[in-house]
Amino acid sequence: MKHPYLTNDHEIFRRSLRKFLEKEAYPFYDLWEEERMIPRSFWEKMGEQGYLCPDIDEEYGGSEVDWGFAVVINEELERVGSGLVGVGLHNDIVVPYITAYGTEEQKKRWLPKCTTGEIITVIAMTEPGTGSDLANIQTTAILDGDHYIVNGQKTFITNGIQSDLIVVACKTDPKANPKHKGVSLLVIERDTPGFSRGRKLNKVGLHCQDTAELIFEDCRVPKENLLGDEGKGFLYLMEKLQQERLLVAIAAQTASEVMLKQTIEYVKSREAFGKPVSKFQNTQFKIVEMATEIEMSRAFLDQLIAEHIEGKDVVTKVSMAKWKMTDSAKKIAAECMQLHGGYGYMEEYEIARRFRDIPVASIYAGTNEIMKTIIAKNLGL
């Protein structure tokens, strides 16, 4: 399908990236799933080829390309497998906090290594007792001379094990009223005293994507590592969540397209009662229903991406896309597994992995229930 916001340059880039992934990712993905980790060498190879943070300025190691290239990267990574979500998180969620709110010194110190894979980034928001309610986070960062003293714990952190640079949402003013005005963003580096990693979490799906607990115990962080202004962290998070949720919608849409394509191929080749499964009316109706849903979602998503690239405020539409496309992807995964019959429950068929991987998309980046709350508010309800 021709995306309206992509040019011939983007498609040339897509072909190059796909060729790279066919050599460096597809053959190893099952092994990465077994080992529960994407090797750092893959990150470094991505960096060598210019696939990490290509949109940032050339002076920091990027290529200064438009965000359409990010869309291509995220679509192609999702086609390999949902476990590569950590690369999109690094490129299009965490690094943009540094480019938008970082000082010149911070940008020069961190961004060049973000483009090479020497630095892998994460953002740490969620806590054991706090999910979507970010104003009530309990991790504190109290200024003591030239350092912040950070105490608290984060969980469900994507790239948590391999991360070198952690953007941490914390309370620099625990007594602030309203509470969200006490939230700030602090960048904590890998070897900072008082910072440690807890468990590498054992998830239902996304097995090769490392997810971890992060622990801060009297962790001393130089005050120069404050990102932006103190007390504006909540505002910064809200400003960047539009793009994060759009990325989730892109991944869900791409996964749906992949699952449908694989299922069509399977039902054409599988025979039952003397004819291909694709010739049964029930199969045809199920395929048609999914194809129609996917086609309509793609049209909405492409328009939404174009508006986002233009810099428009599309928070309401992004919230709609995030909940609808992730919800749809879960249903499509279940339907496609059913059409695979018993083989769909076997690990040798990719649909089994897709079935495991897709449900979390309706939970992270703000649950779908939160999305509906945002939509309702913005509709004046």
Side-chain angles (χ1 to χ4, degrees), residues 41-56:
S41 59
F42 176 73
W43 284 84
E44 292 166 351
K45 289 174 182 176
M46 288 280 289
E48 288 171 7
Q49 298 299 316
Y51 300 135
L52 296 181
C53 315
D55 58 326
I56 69 175

Side-chain angles (χ1 to χ4, degrees), residues 129-130 133-140 169-185 230-235 237:
T130 307
D133 186 9
L134 294 176
N136 278 313
I137 57 173
Q138 299 300 307
T139 298
T140 58
C170 49
K171 283 284 183 73
T172 47
D173 182 3
K175 297 180 180 179
N177 188 17
K179 293 180 179 180
H180 72 267
K181 290 190 175 181
V183 177
S184 300
L185 300 182
E230 193 173 282
K232 291 188 177 180
F234 187 85
L235 175 62
L237 293 170

Side-chain angles (χ1 to χ4, degrees), residues 17 24 39 143 235 263 328 353:
L17 173 58
E24 302 291 351
L143 191 61
L235 175 62
T263 302
S328 178
R353 165 163 59 83

Side-chain angles (χ1 to χ4, degrees), residues 275-316:
K275 61 181 179 180
V277 173
S278 63
K279 296 303 180 183
F280 290 96
Q281 189 182 66
N282 177 71
T283 302
Q284 294 175 350
F285 283 6
K286 292 294 185 183
I287 293 290
V288 166
E289 289 166 6
M290 289 188 286
T292 303
E293 176 100 13
I294 288 170
E295 194 73 20
M296 294 175 71
S297 293
R298 171 54 75 178
F300 178 68
L301 179 62
D302 278 346
Q303 180 59 41
L304 188 53
I305 292 170
E307 291 180 15
H308 176 70
I309 290 173
E310 291 171 8
K312 294 182 180 179
D313 182 346
V314 286
V315 168
T316 304

Side-chain angles (χ1 to χ4, degrees), residues 54-157:
D55 58 326
I56 69 175
D57 292 349
E58 287 183 0
E59 65 178 302
Y60 307 122
S63 302
E64 294 188 47
V65 295
D66 65 73
W67 203 68
F69 288 88
V71 176
V72 171
I73 291 171
N74 283 283
E75 287 180 341
E76 292 305 317
L77 291 175
E78 178 61 37
R79 286 193 174 95
V80 179
S82 299
L84 286 168
V85 64
V87 177
L89 176 106
H90 170 81
N91 282 357
D92 302 304
I93 298 174
V94 187
V95 169
Y97 281 96
I98 300 172
T99 59
Y101 311 119
T103 64
E104 188 61 26
E105 187 277 331
Q106 289 172 337
K107 292 176 184 179
K108 288 180 178 178
R109 181 163 33 131
W110 296 320
L111 291 181
K113 291 184 179 181
C114 289
T115 67
T116 62
E118 293 174 79
I119 284 180
I120 296 174
T121 64
V122 303
I123 186 159
M125 293 185 270
T126 304
E127 299 181 353
T130 307
S132 298
D133 186 9
L134 294 176
N136 278 313
I137 57 173
Q138 299 300 307
T139 298
T140 58
I142 306 303
L143 191 61
D144 178 28
D146 292 333
H147 290 77
Y148 285 97
I149 309 301
V150 182
N151 283 283
Q153 186 174 344
K154 300 292 183 176
T155 193
F156 308 146
I157 306 304

